[in-house]
Amino acid sequence: MENIKIYVEELISLCGLTGELVPYIRHFVLVVLAIVLASLSGYVCRRFIPLIHKLTSRTSSAWDDVLLNDEVLRSASNIVPAIVIWQLLPLTFYEFPFVREILARLTAIYITVMMVRTIIVMIDSLKLLEGDTRTAKQQYLYSFCGMLKIILIFIAVIVIISILVNQSPMTLLAGLGAASAVMMLVFQDTIKGLVAGIRLTSNDMLHKGDWITVPSAGANGTVEEISLTVVKVRNFDNTIVTVPPTMLADGAFQNWIGMREGPGRKQARTIYFDFRSVQLLDEAAKQQLVANGFAEAEDTKGKVSNVTLFRTHIEQWLATQPSVLSDMTILVRQAEATQAGMALEFVFWLNEKGGPAYEHATSLIMEYIYAAAREFGLVIYQQFPKQA
């Protein structure tokens, strides 16, 4: 730049310009040259972006494609022209120290902001490494990155203030000791959210993509986002419910991840029968059940009740249904009786875990149980409305 300044002065003298306008013309030409050099450096950096993409695409790992994506590289390329301007300012405005000082501070602030922005964009790019679910390690990293962005912004503000007041950033940081209580109050939700997020992930309680139910918050759907201060849940009616992480860590919620990862979904339904319909079967009733395919002949020997044959038939029938997992528990048992009558609990596992297929399979099974009870002479308890 010193040689360029000499060439500019020689060019001005060759043009025959003299007088008070010479310094202004000289600085104008130097400013134009500085802008041209800065623009040229930015153009060169942007021309390297496709080359970097080609290099990262040849590697087998995915992290370099994410961290060096187009948005990150373009944000980084905006820093280079500012650095060139910052380096050329002492030689460009050597006769105007006041202007040079102001422009140097503004350029330093711009470089600081753009550097922080580039790092934040790079941190946000880590989300592209996730799939539909987020592991505990990924959630740790995500929570740490959220806290790191806050720290970066805080440091950037301190640096910008130090540039404006021409003081060392360490001096300003030392003076913030008395304001630490205020900072703790301002960021208390963020700190609590970070601690709650660590508790959730360290205990493997929650991941992105899990189906959770939080009755107190009206949440029943899939976790879409886990951040420092909020957990976003998309309900099955497509409404979005935001739940604080502290509510999940300190309270109670139901996570259906075990059911989703398991072979099927358990069903446990209870039906109440009128005690007056429970009876021992005579030979005619036994033969009719055998003839209609509701019982086996060996099961009807001796004194046997209609409830016993009904339980046996339902267990055998459930084992033959394609929607029921036959290798899982299939059980029809007597539960504790109540004033509503004798309770029978039907326990089985469906291979469908949710959605219309699950509901249809459950309905078909329960409808058959209701209808088959009549064949055994059992009466399902129900309350009739009182006559006016």
Side-chain angles (χ1 to χ4, degrees):
M1 190 65 184
E2 185 68 28
N3 294 330
I4 295 177
K5 183 176 68 173
I6 296 174
Y7 292 151
V8 169
E9 290 177 352
E10 292 178 354
L11 179 62
I12 293 174
S13 61
L14 290 175
C15 294
L17 297 176
T18 57
E20 298 179 354
L21 293 177
V22 172
Y24 295 100
I25 295 175
R26 182 193 308 118
H27 282 86
F28 175 77
V29 175
L30 292 174
V31 168
V32 172
L33 289 175
I35 294 175
V36 170
L37 291 175
S39 301
L40 183 61
S41 64
Y43 174 77
V44 172
C45 290
R46 287 190 294 272
R47 295 293 295 178
F48 274 103
I49 293 178
L51 178 60
I52 296 176
H53 287 329
K54 290 182 180 179
L55 294 176
T56 56
S57 62
R58 293 179 180 178
T59 61
S60 58
S61 58
W63 64 267
D64 53 353
D65 297 323
V66 171
L67 295 181
L68 298 177
N69 60 54
D70 189 72
E71 187 176 3
V72 172
L73 294 177
R74 288 189 178 277
S75 180
S77 64
N78 292 330
I79 303 175
V80 177
I83 295 177
V84 173
I85 292 293
W86 188 61
Q87 291 292 331
L88 296 180
L89 280 175
L91 297 176
T92 305
F93 294 94
Y94 62 93
E95 291 185 358
F96 301 94
F98 179 74
V99 177
R100 181 185 63 202
E101 182 68 21
I102 293 178
L103 293 178
R105 294 188 184 185
L106 292 177
T107 306
I109 292 174
Y110 176 81
I111 294 173
T112 303
V113 172
M114 292 307 300
M115 289 181 64
V116 172
R117 180 182 182 276
T118 302
I119 297 174
I120 290 177
V121 171
M122 185 178 296
I123 292 174
D124 290 336
S125 300
L126 294 174
K127 296 180 181 179
L128 300 176
L129 292 173
E130 301 172 3
D132 295 332
T133 60
R134 183 185 296 164
T135 63
K137 292 182 179 180
Q138 287 176 331
Q139 182 56 38
Y140 272 128
L141 179 63
Y142 189 77
S143 300
F144 174 76
C145 289
M147 199 65 175
L148 182 60
K149 287 194 292 184
I150 295 176
I151 295 174
L152 285 173
I153 294 174
F154 176 73
I155 294 176
V157 171
I158 296 298
V159 172
I160 290 173
I161 294 175
S162 66
I163 293 173
L164 291 175
V165 300
N166 197 21
Q167 294 290 334
S168 172
M170 301 305 298
T171 304
L172 295 178
L173 288 173
L176 289 177
S180 59
V182 178
M183 300 301 296
M184 292 288 291
L185 181 63
V186 172
F187 294 106
Q188 62 175 339
D189 292 337
T190 303
I191 297 173
K192 290 180 179 179
L194 176 62
V195 175
I198 293 175
R199 289 172 58 189
L200 290 173
T201 53
S202 61
N203 295 318
D204 203 23
M205 298 165 60
L206 189 66
H207 309 85
K208 181 183 176 182
D210 287 359
W211 171 16
I212 66 171
T213 302
V214 189
S216 59
N220 182 17
T222 304
V223 177
E224 287 199 338
E225 191 68 38
I226 305 175
S227 64
L228 291 177
T229 56
V230 69
V231 175
K232 292 183 180 180
V233 181
R234 180 179 291 275
N235 288 340
F236 295 111
D237 58 358
N238 282 332
T239 57
I240 302 294
V241 179
T242 55
V243 184
T246 52
M247 177 183 290
L248 300 178
D250 299 334
F253 68 97
Q254 189 172 16
N255 194 331
W256 298 85
I257 185 64
M259 180 271 294
R260 279 190 168 181
E261 294 179 349
R265 182 173 178 180
K266 182 182 178 182
Q267 271 287 13
R269 298 293 185 96
T270 302
I271 300 178
Y272 293 92
F273 296 91
D274 192 337
F275 279 110
R276 290 169 293 186
S277 65
V278 179
Q279 57 186 342
L280 295 174
L281 297 176
D282 55 20
E283 292 300 326
K286 294 178 182 179
Q287 292 177 5
Q288 184 178 0
L289 288 174
V290 173
N292 293 335
F294 289 101
E296 299 293 336
E298 58 269 17
D299 296 331
T300 61
K301 295 178 180 179
K303 294 182 179 181
V304 63
S305 67
N306 56 351
V307 177
T308 302
L309 294 181
F310 176 69
R311 289 191 299 104
T312 303
H313 169 69
I314 294 301
E315 286 184 355
Q316 295 174 350
W317 178 81
L318 285 174
T320 63
Q321 298 306 300
S323 60
V324 177
L325 296 174
S326 58
D327 56 341
M328 301 295 288
T329 301
I330 298 177
L331 177 65
V332 181
R333 71 179 189 92
Q334 280 201 38
E336 184 178 356
T338 66
Q339 62 181 3
M342 180 189 67
L344 286 184
E345 185 177 19
F346 303 85
V347 181
F348 53 92
W349 291 75
L350 294 176
N351 50 28
E352 298 291 345
K353 301 177 183 179
Y358 164 78
E359 298 295 342
H360 292 164
T362 304
S363 299
L364 288 174
I365 290 173
M366 296 310 300
E367 288 162 4
Y368 177 84
I369 293 174
Y370 295 144
R374 179 175 296 182
E375 299 293 331
F376 291 84
L378 294 172
V379 178
I380 298 176
Y381 174 81
Q382 61 180 346
Q383 287 183 336
F384 294 95
K386 295 181 179 180
Q387 299 293 332

